[in-house]
């Protein structure tokens, strides 16, 4: 993986809530959006905290990124996620995405102070999926390519991209 583009790493708290996602289109550091209106993405590492500087976290994510970009995914059936089962998702089938999740888990879980917000969604409980976005229609059997990866800080209702790894440069 090439060096990440980063922004604002000095301002991120060591106890921030983080997430790692793969996207179909590149994003840039500093982009912020409502957590309810993410660009289409596949979550690679669900929300977690670490007691490490953002720069170290970005390097750890980069180290797990691998060289197999872009990642081809095939969409499976629909499901409902979330604590109340009210979040519509499209399941994703990809051995490469599962392998990337595992590499991220190995690296992130060894960082100081690592805590997964919901450990049931890590390792054996990981189910690759794309949260439904009204402007994106995919059907069971459709295939697409994930082209980039991002580390985002979650603060209240907002997600901010802190580091972006563009697959076209990997």
């Amino acid at each position: 993986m090439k060096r990440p583009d980063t922004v604002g790493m000095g301002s991120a708290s060591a106890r921030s809530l983080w997430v790692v996602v793969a996207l179909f289109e590149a994003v840039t550091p500093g982009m912020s959006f409502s957590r309810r209106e993410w660009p289409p993405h596949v979550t690679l590492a669900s929300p977690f905290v670490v007691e490490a500087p953002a720069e170290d976290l970005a390097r750890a994510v980069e180290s797990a990124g691998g060289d197999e970009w872009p990642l081809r995914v095939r969409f499976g059936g629909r499901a409902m996620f979330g604590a109340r089962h009210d979040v519509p998702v499209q399941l994703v089938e990809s051995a490469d995405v599962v392998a990337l999740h595992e590499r991220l888990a190995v690296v992130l879980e060894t960082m100081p102070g690592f805590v997964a917000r919901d450990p049931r969604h890590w390792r054996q409980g990981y189910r690759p999926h794309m949260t439904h976005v009204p402007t994106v229609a995919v059907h069971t059997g459709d295939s697409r390519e994930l082209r980039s990866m991002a580390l985002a800080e979650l603060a209240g209702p907002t997600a901010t991209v802190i580091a972006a790894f563009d697959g076209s440069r990997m």
Side-chain angles (χ1 to χ4, degrees):
M1 254 189 153
K2 302 277 187 191
R3 286 256 143 247
D5 292 324
T6 60
V7 70
M9 285 204 196
S11 65
S13 162
R15 293 300 294 179
S16 294
L17 187 61
W18 302 99
V19 66
V20 181
V21 299
L23 301 111
F24 300 96
E25 300 295 331
V27 292
T28 57
M31 286 180 72
S32 289
F33 34 82
S34 163
R35 289 174 61 182
R36 294 185 183 271
E37 297 175 4
W38 279 84
H41 69 281
V42 173
T43 302
L44 298 172
S46 62
F48 62 94
V49 297
V50 293
E51 293 176 0
E55 296 88 350
D56 293 349
L57 181 54
R59 279 192 292 276
V61 169
E62 175 190 22
S63 74
D67 297 324
E68 60 271 359
W69 293 85
L71 301 176
R72 179 152 294 282
V73 299
R74 183 178 173 275
F75 290 100
R78 292 180 179 236
M80 298 300 279
F81 279 21
R84 295 182 302 251
H85 302 285
D86 60 350
V87 179
V89 301
Q90 191 87 26
L91 298 176
V92 169
E93 300 167 0
S94 170
D96 290 336
V97 168
V98 172
L100 179 51
H101 166 77
E102 283 296 321
R103 289 194 308 270
L104 283 163
V106 166
V107 170
L108 296 172
E109 289 172 353
T110 63
M111 295 194 76
F114 171 86
V115 177
R117 188 174 73 186
D118 190 342
R120 295 174 300 173
H121 300 157
W122 286 71
R123 305 270 185 170
Q124 272 62 29
Y126 176 66
R127 292 179 67 198
H129 66 280
M130 179 185 79
T131 303
H132 278 279
V133 178
T135 59
V136 177
V138 293
H139 301 90
T140 300
D142 286 355
S143 183
R144 298 230 176 121
E145 288 184 342
L146 292 164
R147 301 193 163 279
S148 66
M149 184 169 66
L151 169 66
E153 182 180 18
L154 306 177
T158 304
T160 301
V161 176
I162 300 299
F165 309 87
D166 184 352
S168 67
R169 296 182 312 178
M170 291 186 237

